[in-house]
Amino acid sequence: QVQLVESGGGSVQAGGSLRLSCVASGYTVRIVRMGWFRQAPGKEREGVAVITTGGGSTYYADSVKGRFTISQDNAKNTLNLQMNSLKPEDTAMYYCALGPPYGFNWKSLGAYNYWGQGTQVTVSS
């Protein structure tokens, strides 16, 4: 049973930083695609960043390029998202997702088979 558990959310002021982590367990495939999504109240869930494990590519939403960095720690089966220069519009529930490294566009919810429960990020102005 694949499990994804996020942590690291919280409340910060605009311009601050947070680091989200997602511990993954229960999967045996070496190469997977892991991503971060977010969903603000009243809005659709949107892709933030993705990485293909095993040294693959990374992609970012235009709204976070240059501010967010996605990374993986293979030894700890952990996916991280370093978020700098946070803005009030970054406020959302952030979700970790895992899926095969092929198929749908990385921003598509259908590209992922497993989702975490989410961690809340609140940025005040």
Side-chain angles (χ1 to χ4, degrees):
Q1 181 76 11
V2 175
Q3 286 191 321
L4 304 174
V5 180
E6 304 98 334
S7 63
S11 297
V12 295
Q13 291 190 326
S17 298
L18 283 174
R19 183 177 178 87
L20 305 184
S21 293
C22 171
V23 178
S25 62
Y27 67 96
T28 58
V29 178
R30 189 174 71 89
I31 306 298
V32 295
R33 181 160 53 184
M34 295 190 72
W36 287 98
F37 283 72
R38 66 186 180 186
Q39 187 167 18
K43 295 189 177 181
E44 294 186 351
R45 192 170 297 190
E46 63 174 0
V48 175
V50 68
I51 188 168
T52 302
T53 62
S57 304
T58 57
Y59 297 96
Y60 297 89
D62 288 343
S63 59
V64 306
K65 281 181 182 176
R67 300 188 298 121
F68 291 11
T69 303
I70 190 170
S71 63
Q72 60 179 109
D73 183 335
N74 288 329
K76 297 180 180 179
N77 282 348
T78 300
L79 179 73
N80 300 305
L81 185 69
Q82 178 66 42
M83 306 186 296
N84 299 327
S85 302
L86 283 162
K87 304 175 181 180
E89 51 263 43
D90 294 319
T91 296
M93 185 71 79
Y94 283 71
Y95 298 90
C96 175
L98 183 151
Y102 51 80
F104 294 98
N105 181 284
W106 75 268
K107 293 183 180 180
S108 172
L109 302 185
Y112 304 88
N113 305 113
Y114 303 98
W115 294 84
Q117 292 300 307
T119 185
Q120 178 67 38
V121 171
T122 302
V123 184
S124 58
S125 57

